[in-house]
Amino acid sequence: MTKDVCVPDTTVDKLDSADEDVLPSMIVFDLDDCLWTPEMHELYGMPSKPIRGNLNPDEEDDSSRHGRHQPKRTAKRKNVNESNSDAEIGVVGMNVPNGQTVYLYDGARRALREIATNPRFKRVLIGVASTSLEPSYSRHCINNIEIIPGLTMRDLIDYDEIGRTGHLTSRKTTHFKSLHEKSGVPYEEMVFYDDCNWGDHCQDLEDTYRVVGQRTPNGLQIEEFYAGLQKYAKLCKKR
């Protein structure tokens, strides 16, 4: 099985002022190759070892870039002096002992940081829809990776649907059906970010449920985060 070639959606640097107050009721993220890398099925085992570093994406090592020419991620940070009171120290990644380390993409960290710190997102629910082949690995990363000191991804996420067994399949309409039923949020009030490299889940969800989708084929970039919100705001104005 090979990955599809996904064409990136249009991106924007920030929201237009007119769109800032029109936010979705729920923002949903894919995990593998959208929020973080590598994908869970690529790991040799459970990513059980926390890697500490500076949680501020503006202070990462600029030399860190992925071999597939993906955007800079929050990996391989500079050596951090934890005695420095100005540094935002926390768990930046999860390591498989003697193996790989899972890190958030730079844009993903910035987007989650924006959600965690900007009061505008206080009433927006956060969800996860992932077809991960290793749900336990995914949840371990969610439970431990921090966004700001003392706030993990788990603390930020209200609902998660991870895996492809039981009521979940490889088609993410099953994940969104569950998210909708559990949260009560109408599908058309959701925005979904997905790399779409294993199938165009964004198009499928738009066709099936009218979920607003934003493709992130190279890992979530902050411009794509804003573009998804702007797309939602413009559609709302047309309704």
Side-chain angles (χ1 to χ4, degrees):
M1 183 177 181
T2 58
K3 288 189 176 182
D4 299 332
V5 177
C6 179
V7 178
D9 290 333
T10 302
T11 63
V12 295
D13 292 333
K14 60 181 179 180
L15 284 177
D16 292 338
S17 58
D19 297 332
E20 288 184 349
D21 295 326
V22 185
L23 292 174
S25 297
M26 178 182 282
I27 295 173
V28 185
F29 295 102
D30 176 35
L31 294 174
D32 288 357
D33 254 0
C34 178
L35 289 189
W36 60 42
T37 186
E39 299 181 65
M40 297 295 103
H41 71 268
E42 298 176 312
L43 302 180
Y44 304 142
M46 174 70 74
S48 58
K49 179 182 177 182
I51 302 298
R52 293 178 63 80
N54 198 317
L55 298 172
N56 189 336
D58 291 321
E59 297 180 8
E60 72 171 329
D61 187 343
D62 289 335
S63 66
S64 174
R65 289 185 180 274
H66 194 279
R68 285 202 293 131
H69 305 291
Q70 293 173 322
K72 183 173 63 175
R73 60 182 180 178
T74 53
K76 297 181 181 177
R77 296 169 179 273
K78 298 175 182 178
N79 291 330
V80 177
N81 180 3
E82 296 199 19
S83 65
N84 180 0
S85 60
D86 294 329
E88 297 183 40
I89 305 303
V91 178
V92 297
M94 293 299 294
N95 172 257
V96 178
N98 302 314
Q100 315 101 307
T101 300
V102 179
Y103 290 103
L104 294 176
Y105 283 100
D106 178 80
R109 179 166 287 285
R110 291 178 188 276
L112 295 176
R113 188 180 179 90
E114 174 82 355
I115 291 170
T117 60
N118 191 328
R120 289 199 308 116
F121 292 94
K122 185 176 181 179
R123 291 181 175 83
V124 178
L125 296 173
I126 306 302
V128 162
S130 168
T131 56
S132 172
L133 291 169
E134 298 289 351
S136 62
Y137 294 4
S138 301
R139 290 194 171 90
H140 202 68
C141 290
I142 286 173
N143 291 342
N144 287 277
I145 293 176
E146 292 178 291
I147 305 306
I148 57 176
L151 184 83
T152 65
M153 293 179 68
R154 170 56 60 199
D155 297 326
L156 207 59
I157 294 169
D158 298 289
Y159 299 94
D160 69 80
E161 295 295 328
I162 304 173
R164 53 177 72 187
T165 59
H167 68 286
L168 301 177
T169 71
S170 59
R171 191 179 175 200
K172 291 192 178 178
T173 51
T174 57
H175 298 66
F176 272 77
K177 183 176 185 293
S178 185
L179 288 172
H180 164 68
E181 291 173 349
K182 291 179 180 178
S183 69
V185 174
Y187 293 113
E188 60 269 22
E189 293 180 18
M190 298 179 181
V191 172
F192 181 46
Y193 297 88
D194 191 285
D195 63 276
C196 293
N197 287 320
W198 293 102
D200 196 344
H201 298 293
C202 287
Q203 189 64 56
D204 188 22
L205 285 161
E206 179 182 338
D207 293 341
T208 306
Y209 291 137
R210 295 199 301 165
V211 173
V212 177
Q214 176 71 29
R215 298 169 183 82
T216 64
N218 296 309
L220 179 61
Q221 302 175 58
I222 191 62
E223 295 86 358
E224 292 168 334
F225 176 66
Y226 292 132
L229 297 180
Q230 186 177 79
K231 187 186 301 184
Y232 174 82
K234 292 187 182 305
L235 285 173
C236 282
K237 292 175 183 178
K238 293 179 181 179
R239 292 171 182 166

